[in-house]
Amino acid sequence: MRSRHLLQARPDRFLLALLVALATSAGAQDPPSEDLAIEEIVVTAQGRGEQLLSDVPINMSAYSGEELADLGIFTLEGVGQLTPGVLVQNQSPNNPAYNIRGITTDDGSAQFEPRVALYYNGVNISRSRGSFLAVHDMERIEVLKGPQSTLFSRSAEIGAISYISKRPGEDFDAGLKLQGGNYSYFLADAYLNIPITDWLSSRIAVFHNEREGYIENLSGGTLNGIGSTSVRGSLRATPTDDLTFDLILTYQKDDQPGTSFKGVNLPTIGSNTSPFTAADLERGKELGLDRDVYNATFIATWQLNDVWQLTSNSSFHKFDSNEAFDADGSASPALFFREIAEGEQFNQELKASFDFADWGLDGFFGVNYFYEDGSQNVPLVLDDATVVPIGLAAADDVPGLLYNPTDGFVQNGNSTLFEFTNFGTTNEFDIWADATYNLIDALDLTVGIRGIFLWKESKYIAPDAVSQPGTSCPGFGDNPCSLLFDVGGLTSQGELRSRTGSFNQAVGRAIFNYDFEERFDQDINVFAGWNRGWRP
């Protein structure tokens, strides 16, 4: 009874005593286990095996697959939102834009050389229309900022992004994540890891994400939806402790509605010019993307001894895409485009890595052959009555524009057809070496050089634009709108024009790195260096 009385009379002293006791008990415990420490991410960006991210003298960010899955990030667009100085715009999986440090690469031409290198399991897949892959069942994503041509060859002028998928493990494992939401949102992310024998394991990962478009299209269907399915199968064979074979097969299908473009000067009957309200884009459900991406990669690794390791990486990458979009942003038939892009890429790399621990020297050297062949076909249909004045002023201020507030835009039945196709073929041979040497105590020097030998062929064909007989183009008198393309010099009169060229370049890097942890037990790295990028 006395204890109850004390508790009721002085609850503040009782709580204080309890807190002191808990604090004393906690203070008497052993220090936190190392298992509770923050796990550092292991990266392979420097091509010399696994390294802790904090030990790599490169301005880079890396994210483990588990971290990305926990954050609900399944695209590179989400990775860009996590990474300072990086922006990835997903207008559609067929039309992404990669921006690092304020410089953007987004051109879909088969002749264009990107400024950001995209790598998938160690192989270049930088061609824009085949580079945007679902981020699922990943070991990690690495994002490198600044010129990286020494490590990632041409096109790494302003940076590189590297996908590394999970490899099969020795133990049975499985996982499934399901999500649902409004606008018929559905996401399924699953994997299954099955050991077959003591030396052979398999893994399959499946990802599906879909959502109806959240922008209504008054001409039919919806806009800004999601429709992506990715399947990846992997085999890992370890016939001996020193020999590893990895086979990775990937297929991705993107089938989704069109992208909402709305002209700010053009009215939408039943809506307005806000980007968040209903649009009225002609062709309705015909708008959208149909894309297939295929990848097969075979990696062989042979650990010769404690010093030397040999690696062979062979890969084939292919994509086919067809995207239809309304470029004028209204119900007007002024501008309707398609983009039909195709590409095939083959890569063969041979690399020798070394680690002379007693000498404080490690690095690698190797050779690489890369072949690419692709095309971009763009058919354009325009309405002769609206193509010139559209977008220049409000519709009711443009004389002759076929528009009225009740029916909206009215097509006059006269149109101009124009189509162009560009082709690009690349043969590339690289030879490179990169090494890090411990100069004194905690000071390292990294030096690398790559020789790039490139042969390119570009082709272009564009038949004369064809306007329906008797039509005229506003502002061009009695002349048809096909004259626009003649004046612009876009037509090749049906002639296939080509040009070839050879480009040779040496790029390199030199970096000093001081590790305070080795000298002063402080987890700080300071590095300064020089890197050269190149985009032919």
Side-chain angles (χ1 to χ4, degrees):
M1 296 297 295
R2 179 176 174 83
S3 62
R4 178 182 297 179
H5 174 74
L6 290 174
L7 177 60
Q8 292 174 346
R10 304 300 300 269
D12 54 338
R13 291 188 178 181
F14 175 79
L15 291 175
L16 178 61
L18 179 61
L19 290 174
V20 171
L22 290 174
T24 304
S25 175
Q29 293 177 355
D30 293 332
S33 168
E34 292 184 1
D35 294 338
L36 300 179
I38 297 176
E39 181 181 358
E40 286 204 74
I41 295 179
V42 173
V43 298
T44 54
Q46 291 201 110
R48 48 174 45 78
E50 296 182 344
Q51 295 179 291
L52 293 178
L53 175 61
S54 59
D55 293 337
V56 178
I58 298 175
N59 188 350
M60 66 177 293
S61 302
Y63 309 98
S64 68
E66 289 80 5
E67 179 183 8
L68 294 171
D70 290 343
L71 292 172
I73 292 176
F74 299 99
T75 69
L76 284 184
E77 184 178 25
V79 174
Q81 293 170 353
L82 284 179
T83 310
V86 176
L87 175 65
V88 180
Q89 179 191 9
N90 178 20
Q91 179 173 298
S92 80
N94 187 57
N95 197 359
Y98 305 103
N99 181 298
I100 296 181
R101 293 180 172 177
I103 301 177
T104 299
T105 182
D106 61 357
D107 198 303
S109 167
Q111 307 163 348
F112 179 80
E113 289 291 345
R115 293 180 174 89
V116 176
L118 275 294
Y119 271 61
Y120 182 60
N121 289 320
V123 176
N124 190 335
I125 60 166
S126 299
R127 186 60 53 199
S128 172
R129 279 25 183 176
S131 65
F132 197 87
L133 303 179
V135 176
H136 73 105
D137 199 42
M138 287 287 156
E139 184 66 36
R140 63 189 173 276
I141 298 286
E142 301 176 1
V143 182
L144 295 83
K145 307 167 195 175
Q148 302 296 336
S149 293
T150 308
L151 297 175
F152 292 92
S153 190
R154 63 184 176 88
S155 303
E157 183 184 30
I158 59 172
I161 300 175
S162 178
Y163 304 84
I164 298 97
S165 66
K166 273 191 175 295
R167 304 294 194 264
E170 298 178 353
D171 301 320
F172 178 86
D173 191 16
L176 173 65
K177 175 182 287 188
L178 298 175
Q179 294 179 353
N182 60 355
Y183 296 99
S184 300
Y185 177 79
F186 176 71
L187 181 144
D189 181 23
Y191 70 88
L192 178 62
N193 192 100
I194 302 176
I196 300 174
T197 67
D198 292 341
W199 56 272
L200 182 63
S201 298
S202 64
R203 189 181 187 92
I204 184 167
V206 179
F207 174 81
H208 177 76
N209 192 16
E210 65 178 67
R211 172 173 246 158
E212 290 183 0
Y214 57 87
I215 300 293
E216 180 187 3
N217 187 4
L218 300 177
S219 291
T222 60
L223 303 166
N224 291 7
I226 300 173
S228 182
T229 302
S230 174
V231 180
R232 181 189 306 116
S234 306
L235 283 175
R236 165 162 283 194
T238 53
T240 68
D241 293 339
D242 301 326
L243 195 59
T244 302
F245 299 105
D246 285 300
L247 175 64
I248 308 162
L249 304 176
T250 305
Y251 171 70
Q252 179 163 326
K253 175 72 173 182
D254 297 291
D255 183 6
Q256 63 185 46
T259 302
S260 177
F261 297 96
K262 294 183 71 173
V264 296
N265 292 326
L266 302 172
T268 299
I269 302 301
S271 186
N272 52 44
T273 57
S274 168
F276 305 107
T277 57
D280 193 2
L281 306 185
E282 65 151 346
R283 307 286 180 119
K285 295 183 179 180
E286 186 179 346
L287 303 177
L289 168 65
D290 183 10
R291 186 184 76 140
D292 297 279
V293 182
Y294 311 84
N295 184 278
T297 301
F298 179 73
I299 304 172
T301 305
W302 186 14
Q303 188 70 46
L304 296 176
N305 48 47
D306 293 339
V307 175
W308 290 97
Q309 182 186 83
L310 300 180
T311 304
S312 170
N313 193 329
S314 309
S315 178
F316 176 76
H317 188 74
K318 176 181 172 63
F319 63 89
D320 299 286
S321 66
N322 188 330
E323 184 170 19
F325 53 97
D326 188 336
D328 58 67
S330 74
S332 166
L335 295 171
F336 173 73
F337 281 87
R338 279 190 183 275
E339 181 189 3
I340 304 168
E342 299 178 353
E344 293 183 354
Q345 300 165 332
F346 171 76
N347 187 88
Q348 176 59 60
E349 175 184 286
L350 297 174
K351 181 176 66 175
S353 304
F354 56 86
D355 184 2
F356 294 95
D358 294 340
W359 300 352
L361 176 68
D362 66 273
F364 65 92
F365 56 89
V367 295
N368 185 80
Y369 172 72
F370 177 83
Y371 169 81
E372 178 183 31
D373 184 50
S375 65
Q376 180 196 43
N377 171 255
V378 181
L380 161 65
V381 180
L382 57 89
D383 179 67
D384 293 343
T386 58
V387 65
V388 172
I390 200 165
L392 302 180
D396 53 4
D397 292 336
V398 180
L401 187 62
L402 299 182
Y403 168 84
N404 65 69
T406 302
D407 300 323
F409 291 95
V410 180
Q411 189 170 8
N412 66 355
N414 298 325
S415 61
T416 295
L417 306 177
F418 177 68
E419 181 177 2
F420 71 83
T421 308
N422 60 65
F423 306 86
T425 302
T426 300
N427 283 274
E428 176 185 357
F429 178 76
D430 290 14
I431 182 170
W432 71 91
D434 195 272
T436 298
Y437 181 65
N438 179 238
L439 296 173
I440 52 172
D441 294 333
L443 182 63
D444 294 334
L445 172 63
T446 298
V447 177
I449 187 170
R450 177 185 290 260
I452 306 174
F453 307 91
L454 196 67
W455 180 87
K456 291 181 66 69
E457 180 179 29
S458 297
K459 298 179 183 179
Y460 178 82
I461 184 170
D464 288 336
V466 178
S467 295
Q468 290 192 358
T471 64
S472 61
C473 209
F476 280 72
D478 295 331
N479 295 308
C481 281
S482 57
L483 182 64
L484 286 169
F485 300 94
D486 292 331
V487 172
L490 297 177
T491 67
S492 66
Q493 292 82 44
E495 176 189 356
L496 181 62
R497 299 176 180 175
S498 65
R499 183 177 180 181
T500 61
S502 298
F503 308 87
N504 303 323
Q505 184 68 43
V507 297
R509 67 174 187 152
I511 303 172
F512 286 97
N513 179 56
Y514 193 87
D515 189 348
F516 280 81
E517 186 174 12
E518 293 187 13
R519 186 71 182 272
F520 301 105
D521 197 26
Q522 298 293 321
D523 192 14
I524 300 173
N525 270 19
V526 176
F527 61 88
W530 167 85
N531 287 275
R532 180 172 183 179
W534 182 58
R535 182 172 67 108

